[in-house]
Amino acid sequence: MSTTVKRPAESGRPDDARVRGTTPPPTTTPPRRRHGLRVGWMMTASGWSANQFSALLGAYRSGTGLSESAVTGLFAVYVVGLVPGLLIGGPLADRYGRRPVALIALGVNLLSTCLLMVGAATTGWLLPGRFLTGLGAGALLAAGSAWVKELSSPPFDLTASPGAAAKRSGMFVSAGFASGGLSAALIAQWAPDPLLTAYLPHLVLAVAAGAVALGAPESRPSQARPAAAAPASAEGTGAPPVAQAPFRRTRFWRAILPVAPWVFAAPTVGFVILPGLVDGGLTGWQTVYAGVATAVVPGAGLAVQLPARYLATRHRLATGVAGLLVIAVGFALAAPAAATEQPVLALAAAAVLGAGYGLTLSFGLTEVAALAPRAHLARLTSLFWTLAYTGMFTPYAITALSTTFGVPALLRAGALLAVLSCAAFVLLNRGERRPALTPRCPG
C-alpha cells in the first residue's frame, strides 16, 4: 500500500500546479514584443519626407520664383528616384536582410532632407534632394514594409492578426503623409525661413525612428524555410510551391495591376492639383490650405481602415472594388471644384479621394502579403509600391494637358477611367469567389 501511495510520478504533481497557475510555465511562449510597431516609425518618417515637400509647393512658387511646371516637375522627380529605390531595395532586402537595407535607406532619407534645406538658398540642390528623397523612400518602403509585416506576425508577434500585420506599414506611411504635410505648412506659414525650418521636424523624427528601430531583430526567413512556409501562408493547402507559383503569379497581376496605379493617382490630385486651383480665394492662407489638404487626404485613408477590414472579411475583392468606385466619385467631385474654384468643395473632393486611397492601399498590401512567398515578400511588395507610385505622375500629366483640354474635363475623364478600371478588375478576377484571406478579428 505504501509503495502505491508514494509513487514519484504522482507525489510532486508538477503538471497540476502549472494548471492551477501556482508555478509559472517555462519559457515555452515567447514574450509579447512589438518590434513591428517600433520599425513602423521608420515608415512614418518616409511618408513624412514625401509630403513635407508637397505642402510647400506654393511657397516654392512664390518664394523662389520657380514656374508651375518646374515645381510640378520637382514633385515628379520624387517618383523618378522612388522607382529604382523600390526595384533595387526589394531584392536586396530579400537577399541581405530587411534590417540593413531599411536602416541605410533611412540614412539616405535624412541626407535628402538636408539637401532640400540647402535648396532654400540654392535651388539647384532641390533636384538631387528630391531624387534622393524618392530613392531612400523607395528602398525603405520595400524593405521596411516586409520588415514591419514579418515582425508583426508569428513568431515575433503573436497578437496581431494577419490582415493587420499586412496593412500596418501602410498605416504608418499614411500617418507620415498626413503629419508631414500639415507640419510643414504650419511652419511655413508662421516660422522664419520657412523653406529651411519646415524640414527640421523630419530630421528629428528620422533620427528618433532610426534609434528606436536599432533594437529590432532581423526577420528575413532562412533559405530553408520559404518553400514550406509560402503555400501555407498564401493558400493553406500545403501543396508544393512549384505547382502553385504560376497560378499565384498570374493572380498577382490580375488583382494588383488594375488597382495599384490609382493608389497614388487619387491622393496626388487631392493635395497637389486641387490646392493650386482654388488658392485664388485664399489670399495669405494658401500654404496652410495646402497643408490641410495634405493632411485630409491620408487622414481619410486612415479613417477607412475599419470599413476596409470589414469589407475584406466579406469578399477578397470587395475592398479593391470599393476603393476604385470611391476614387471615381472623388474625381467626379473634383471636376466642379476645379471649375468653380471652391475651397470647401475641393477639400471634400480631396477627402473622398483620400478614402479611395486608403481602400486601394489596404487591398493591395493585404493581397501582396497573401500571395507572396516569404522569401520574395520584399521584392513583390516593392513591385506593388512601384506600380502604385506610377500614379504620382498624374499631377504632371494633368498640368501638361490642361492647356489643351482643361482641368475639369481631365478630372471627369479620370472618373470614367476609374470606373473602367473597376470593371476590368472585376472581369479579370471574376473567378475569385472565396472570402478574403484576412480573418475576422476575435471580438
Side-chain angles (χ1 to χ4, degrees):
M1 296 289 292
S2 60
T3 55
T4 305
V5 173
K6 294 181 180 180
R7 281 181 299 178
E10 295 180 3
S11 58
R13 301 171 64 107
D15 293 335
D16 289 348
R18 287 173 186 169
V19 170
R20 291 194 306 267
T22 58
T23 303
T27 55
T28 55
T29 301
R32 177 178 176 180
R33 299 188 184 277
R34 292 301 184 93
H35 293 304
L37 297 178
R38 296 170 62 184
V39 174
W41 289 106
M42 298 175 66
M43 312 300 290
T44 301
S46 174
W48 188 297
S49 69
N51 246 18
Q52 62 184 351
F53 185 85
S54 304
L56 299 174
L57 294 178
Y60 277 108
R61 294 186 193 100
S62 59
T64 63
L66 293 175
S67 66
E68 177 70 28
S69 59
V71 172
T72 308
L74 284 171
F75 179 84
V77 166
Y78 170 82
V79 188
V80 175
L82 184 109
V83 171
L86 285 166
L87 295 179
I88 296 171
L92 287 178
D94 282 334
R95 181 168 184 176
Y96 298 106
R98 286 64 161 116
R99 191 175 188 274
V101 176
L103 291 174
I104 292 172
L106 183 65
V108 175
N109 199 244
L110 272 167
L111 174 62
S112 68
T113 293
C114 293
L115 293 180
L116 292 175
M117 294 173 72
V118 176
T122 307
T123 56
W125 288 103
L126 294 176
L127 185 63
R130 283 296 288 169
F131 178 81
L132 287 180
T133 301
L135 187 68
L140 188 53
L141 283 171
S145 294
W147 200 13
V148 171
K149 193 269 178 184
E150 290 167 349
L151 290 179
S152 302
S153 306
F156 299 100
D157 189 342
L158 303 179
T159 61
S161 67
K167 293 180 282 191
R168 185 170 282 176
S169 62
M171 295 178 69
F172 272 101
V173 170
S174 297
F177 283 148
S179 305
L182 183 59
S183 173
L186 295 177
I187 292 174
Q189 183 70 31
W190 286 292
D193 298 321
L195 299 182
L196 178 67
T197 55
Y199 294 108
L200 293 177
H202 175 255
L203 295 182
V204 176
L205 173 62
V207 171
V212 170
L214 281 176
E218 176 58 61
S219 65
R220 181 177 68 98
S222 64
Q223 295 302 311
R225 290 169 59 189
S233 62
E235 299 293 337
T237 62
V242 175
Q244 286 193 355
F247 169 70
R248 289 166 58 201
R249 191 181 306 117
T250 302
R251 191 170 69 190
F252 176 91
W253 287 107
R254 288 201 316 260
I256 297 300
L257 191 58
V259 176
W262 293 99
V263 170
F264 285 111
T268 51
V269 168
F271 62 71
V272 176
I273 293 296
L274 293 180
L277 294 175
V278 304
D279 64 2
L282 299 167
T283 304
W285 296 93
Q286 293 94 333
T287 301
V288 170
Y289 181 82
V292 170
T294 58
V296 164
V297 172
L302 285 172
V304 298
Q305 290 309 303
L306 187 59
R309 192 171 181 177
Y310 173 80
L311 288 171
T313 64
R314 297 294 137 189
H315 193 281
R316 186 167 196 160
L317 305 179
T319 311
V321 170
L324 290 172
L325 293 178
V326 170
I327 287 173
V329 174
F331 270 88
L333 287 174
T340 60
E341 300 184 359
Q342 290 295 323
V344 175
L345 183 57
L347 210 57
V352 175
L353 290 168
Y357 150 79
L359 291 168
T360 51
L361 179 62
S362 174
F363 169 79
L365 290 175
T366 304
E367 190 73 4
V368 170
L371 298 178
R374 285 196 64 196
H376 302 293
L377 176 61
R379 70 183 64 191
L380 287 178
T381 301
S382 69
L383 180 57
F384 164 72
W385 282 114
T386 301
L387 294 171
Y389 269 102
T390 58
M392 292 194 80
F393 286 107
T394 302
Y396 190 79
I398 290 177
T399 301
L401 296 173
S402 60
T403 55
T404 303
F405 300 101
V407 174
L410 293 172
L411 293 174
R412 286 191 291 269
L416 178 60
L417 285 175
V419 173
L420 293 176
S421 296
C422 184
F425 173 68
V426 172
L427 289 174
L428 288 172
N429 298 276
R430 59 187 180 275
E432 294 289 336
R433 300 296 182 188
R434 292 171 298 141
L437 292 180
T438 306
R440 295 174 188 255
C441 182

